[in-house]
Amino acid sequence: MKFGLRLAVAAISAICVVFIMSMTKETGTRQLRQLLGRVSRHAISNNSIFLSHNHMNSRVVRVNSDDVIHLAFVVCGKDRVEESLVMVKSAVLFTRAPLSLHVITDPELIATFNTELEKWKSDSGRFQYNVSKVSFPADRGSQWRSLFKLCAAQRLFLPEMLAEVDAILYVDTDTLFLRPIDDLWNFFNLMNSSQMAALTQEQEDAGIGWYNRFARHPYYGKLGVNSGVMLMNLTQMRQFGWTRKITQYYFKYRHNITWGDQDLINILFSFYPEKLYVYPCEWNFRSDHCVYRMVCQSAQDRGASVVHGVRSAFHLEKHMVFKTVYQAMLQYKFGDDLERSLLDPIERNLSRLANTNCGKVRHVFTQRLNETIRQSRASKYPGS
């Protein structure tokens, strides 16, 4: 069966090449990459070639195994400090492996992060950190800094900025982890030898998708991808020439993009779809997934693993479900009982929001957290 699938993949690939050779060079190259990318993803989804137990030599594990998880985030402006520290708290609470934080921020905020993280380090242990100032290319640095949200484009230059780091998990500051980062980090071992990054789709429902309805530039797949929770194999990205290509796409499409760095990431992976791994929406659960109706099936089945408070959902009354989860994590203190001081307040307050669309699926916000806390009692995570 597996041998037959290989022959089928090879045959389809050959047909793609012959077909595209009859087309223009630029268009043919792009469509070839797209077709081969779909073929490889189909094979992977069927546990063949790269993931087969009998063919492990065909899979390339591309991340150095130093038993340290690298987490990076960017903070510009004092209004983002609190939520970034709450995100870090959620990461430190449950992560099993040693955690290395890479904080990139304004010069005037470096002392604040050093003070807060040093205090947390003494309370919880098990993580190290480095705080550095934002850094953009010398030419057009001000344009990059103000692209979409302040400093959001910094993630585009992490392969060069973190030159000694092999791989990282990059997250927006408005994210919360409800399970160990280790489980997300393990997706590196599911990525094939071509894939250098992993993201979730921007939307699960084409009827309310942004890219398929409004984008004026190329984007990944049918619905685009969201860049808020991004695994990045920096070594492979450097070898690929990531920064050079991103810069080229910026100058070509800068008058057509709306969401800044996320649009540029979509543009790049539209031309190189085989370079991207797409993981389920439970790893980047947003208000879009439940505000009208529940459209994230993996979160419905297994609970949300990462909650992303896009468009200030953690702070606005109209997104009270998301705000409730954020406030509980904000108020939790290291060393307190996770069930009594974190899970119980969330469940109690969410029960009052059962009449809202996101409140109707409130188990999404507690199911995975409940499982994580049960596991933590045996594994002795920092918060247990």
Side-chain angles (χ1 to χ4, degrees):
M1 182 69 176
K2 295 184 176 67
F3 179 73
L5 181 57
R6 281 199 190 88
L7 290 179
V9 171
I12 294 171
S13 300
I15 293 171
C16 292
V17 172
V18 172
F19 171 72
I20 291 171
M21 285 177 66
S22 64
M23 305 172 69
T24 64
K25 182 177 179 181
E26 180 179 356
T27 303
T29 299
R30 178 184 175 188
Q31 293 194 19
L32 175 60
R33 287 183 178 126
Q34 292 174 331
L35 288 169
L36 292 181
R38 286 195 290 269
V39 169
S40 67
R41 286 195 299 278
H42 175 75
I44 293 165
S45 68
N46 284 281
N47 293 323
S48 61
I49 300 180
F50 294 110
L51 300 184
S52 170
H53 174 75
N54 296 322
H55 299 281
M56 289 296 287
N57 291 335
S58 297
R59 185 184 71 186
V60 179
V61 179
R62 301 170 295 114
V63 176
N64 292 335
S65 180
D66 59 1
D67 295 324
V68 176
I69 293 175
H70 294 267
L71 175 65
F73 58 98
V74 179
V75 184
C76 284
K78 293 181 179 180
D79 59 330
R80 292 289 183 176
V81 173
E82 180 192 89
E83 68 178 16
S84 66
L85 289 172
V86 176
M87 178 274 294
V88 170
K89 182 192 294 183
S90 72
V92 172
L93 271 178
F94 305 121
T95 301
R96 299 183 292 266
L99 185 63
S100 180
L101 303 176
H102 300 269
V103 187
I104 304 166
T105 188
D106 288 326
E108 60 269 23
L109 295 178
I110 290 178
T112 299
F113 278 102
N114 279 328
T115 300
E116 292 299 320
L117 293 176
E118 191 61 33
K119 181 172 60 178
W120 282 12
K121 187 177 179 181
S122 63
D123 290 341
S124 63
R126 288 171 52 87
F127 77 91
Q128 56 187 348
Y129 65 91
N130 179 67
V131 184
S132 56
K133 65 178 182 179
V134 293
S135 176
F136 292 101
D139 58 321
R140 299 180 184 270
S142 60
Q143 291 184 22
W144 285 114
R145 180 181 172 89
S146 59
L147 183 68
F148 189 46
K149 292 183 180 178
L150 195 61
C151 294
Q154 180 71 79
R155 85 185 75 189
L156 301 176
F157 303 101
L158 292 181
E160 276 65 44
M161 187 173 188
L162 302 177
E164 303 303 317
V165 180
D166 182 46
I168 63 165
L169 167 61
Y170 174 89
V171 295
D172 288 345
T173 59
D174 54 352
T175 51
L176 292 175
F177 297 95
L178 302 182
R179 67 187 289 183
I181 297 181
D182 314 60
D183 299 333
L184 180 54
W185 191 260
N186 282 338
F187 276 102
F188 275 123
N189 291 321
L190 299 182
M191 294 161 64
N192 68 36
S193 59
S194 296
Q195 292 162 335
M196 61 184 179
L199 295 164
T200 62
Q201 288 193 137
E202 166 62 22
Q203 185 52 260
E204 302 297 311
D205 182 358
I208 56 176
W210 163 265
Y211 286 107
N212 59 303
R213 294 187 298 159
F214 305 117
R216 297 179 295 128
H217 56 77
Y219 56 90
Y220 176 87
K222 295 181 179 180
L223 297 171
V225 286
N226 183 281
S227 61
V229 182
M230 185 175 186
L231 286 173
M232 305 172 71
N233 186 319
L234 301 181
T235 297
Q236 191 159 341
M237 295 171 89
R238 287 187 285 265
Q239 295 170 349
F240 171 73
W242 169 273
T243 302
R244 176 176 55 83
K245 289 183 173 66
I246 281 288
T247 302
Q248 291 173 347
Y249 292 138
Y250 168 71
F251 287 117
K252 183 174 182 179
Y253 294 103
R254 57 181 169 167
H255 299 302
N256 300 91
I257 60 177
T258 302
W259 307 113
D261 53 307
Q262 178 171 293
D263 287 349
L264 291 174
I265 290 171
N266 266 279
I267 291 169
L268 186 145
F269 286 120
S270 76
F271 291 104
Y272 298 92
E274 74 281 3
K275 298 292 184 182
L276 182 65
Y277 182 99
V278 178
Y279 39 61
C281 50
E282 67 187 90
W283 294 100
N284 188 351
F285 189 80
R286 306 181 299 281
S287 57
D288 300 339
H289 291 134
C290 61
V291 69
Y292 300 115
R293 62 185 180 88
M294 185 61 175
V295 296
C296 177
Q297 189 61 48
S298 69
Q300 174 76 25
D301 295 340
R302 298 186 289 272
S305 297
V306 180
V307 177
H308 188 181
V310 293
R311 295 183 293 280
S312 300
F314 287 156
H315 310 290
L316 298 179
E317 297 297 317
K318 68 177 181 179
H319 296 297
M320 276 302 298
V321 170
F322 285 78
K323 185 176 180 179
T324 294
V325 178
Y326 175 81
Q327 286 293 323
M329 188 66 73
L330 170 66
Q331 294 166 15
Y332 176 84
K333 296 180 180 179
F334 283 113
D336 288 351
D337 183 83
L338 282 167
E339 185 171 357
R340 289 196 303 268
S341 301
L342 182 61
L343 179 61
D344 286 352
I346 292 176
E347 290 182 330
R348 184 170 57 252
N349 291 323
L350 288 184
S351 67
R352 301 165 183 161
L353 302 172
N355 61 328
T356 66
N357 284 339
C358 289
K360 292 174 183 176
V361 291
R362 56 191 179 278
H363 73 278
V364 165
F365 300 88
T366 58
Q367 179 176 334
R368 182 60 69 178
L369 180 60
N370 196 357
E371 294 173 6
T372 299
I373 291 174
R374 289 204 312 268
Q375 294 169 1
S376 76
R377 297 192 185 282
S379 302
K380 295 183 179 180
Y381 299 161
S384 60

